[in-house]
Amino acid sequence: MLFYVSGRTAHGTDLRTDNSLLKLSDVIQQRSTQNQQLQEQVAADQGRADGLAREQGQSPDDAARLAALQQAAGLDALHGPGLTVTLDDAPPNATARIPGVPEPGVNDLVIHQQDIQAVVNALWRGGAEGIQVMDQRLVSTSAVRCVGNTLLLQGRVYSPPYVIRAVGRTEALRSAVDADPTVRNYLGYVAAYGLGWKVQEGNELSLPGYAGSIDLRAASAQ
């Protein structure tokens, strides 16, 4: 009876395989690849649109205003001095490095959403002219989110180490990062369990312009 029911249910397929089913992580990775391809297409289309606009002719004042707006919106590439901050998970077999500190749990050894957000927010407070997380420029609609131990940013998925780059006055940026209470709390875990943390100054950083859609799908007044 068992073999008969299984055969009727399977309709010639293997009931004990999940090859036809995608895991959630596979779906996320697939969508990430598709979004990357779409962003590259949008960037190419935007370049062609900008070229057509220039061919039609603009007054010097209009061109200057447009350039300023594009720069403020993060649509143009940005160059200048700044900071590069790198965060990374601790080794999976890490133990407490400081006497009296409890042994770490799983959540103590990985980068969390609030850690990345703290660095980004501190850099904005420090007067950053533009910020890039991994290979993407942040804009007003960007949201830093973590799904498990991966970063989900603007439809694409990233794994640690997480690299954050900001263009601006180097001293002001570093002071803002050092003064942030959430960053200082994270540095406590760096000392206790070996989470990754590196801050590097650069005289000439280059951030790409944002290449995705800037249209708002929904908004509500608070």
Side-chain angles (χ1 to χ4, degrees):
M1 177 63 71
L2 176 61
F3 290 127
Y4 173 77
V5 172
S6 296
R8 294 282 296 178
T9 304
H11 294 293
T13 64
D14 188 351
L15 284 178
R16 300 192 65 191
T17 181
D18 61 355
N19 290 337
S20 62
L21 302 176
L22 289 174
K23 297 180 180 178
L24 178 58
S25 60
D26 296 332
V27 174
I28 293 175
Q29 187 60 51
Q30 183 184 48
R31 293 295 185 269
S32 175
T33 302
Q34 292 174 348
N35 287 337
Q36 180 180 1
Q37 295 170 346
L38 289 173
Q39 286 177 350
E40 293 172 354
Q41 181 179 345
V42 169
D45 292 341
Q46 184 63 49
R48 287 192 289 269
D50 292 342
L52 291 173
R54 286 191 296 269
E55 290 176 4
Q56 292 177 356
Q58 293 178 331
S59 70
D61 290 342
D62 289 341
R65 282 195 295 270
L66 177 59
L69 290 172
Q70 288 181 323
Q71 187 67 57
L75 304 182
D76 286 344
L78 183 62
H79 310 278
L83 285 187
T84 299
V85 181
T86 305
L87 302 89
D88 199 0
D89 293 345
N93 59 348
T95 58
R97 297 181 171 189
I98 301 175
V101 173
E103 291 302 315
V106 175
N107 287 330
D108 298 322
L109 303 180
V110 297
I111 304 300
H112 293 282
Q113 178 175 312
Q114 61 266 27
D115 303 323
I116 303 173
Q117 288 176 332
V119 174
V120 170
N121 290 337
L123 291 170
W124 285 129
R125 285 194 297 271
E129 299 175 29
I131 297 178
Q132 173 186 347
V133 176
M134 302 304 281
D135 60 350
Q136 294 203 63
R137 181 77 173 272
L138 297 188
V139 294
S140 60
T141 56
S142 300
V144 175
R145 303 185 187 281
C146 285
V147 178
N149 63 340
T150 59
L151 169 67
L152 179 61
L153 177 62
Q154 292 164 174
R156 293 173 56 189
V157 180
Y158 301 92
S159 298
Y162 300 121
V163 181
I164 305 169
R165 305 166 74 218
V167 168
R169 293 178 54 245
T170 305
E171 293 182 3
L173 295 175
R174 182 181 284 273
S175 296
V177 170
D178 292 341
D180 186 89
T182 306
V183 171
R184 285 190 287 189
N185 180 67
Y186 172 81
L187 292 178
Y189 283 81
V190 172
Y193 303 126
L195 285 165
W197 174 258
K198 183 188 297 184
V199 179
Q200 298 171 292
E201 297 184 6
N203 292 326
E204 190 60 33
L205 299 183
S206 296
L207 309 186
Y210 176 70
S213 173
I214 57 175
D215 294 335
L216 287 174
R217 294 179 179 271
S220 61
Q222 299 293 331

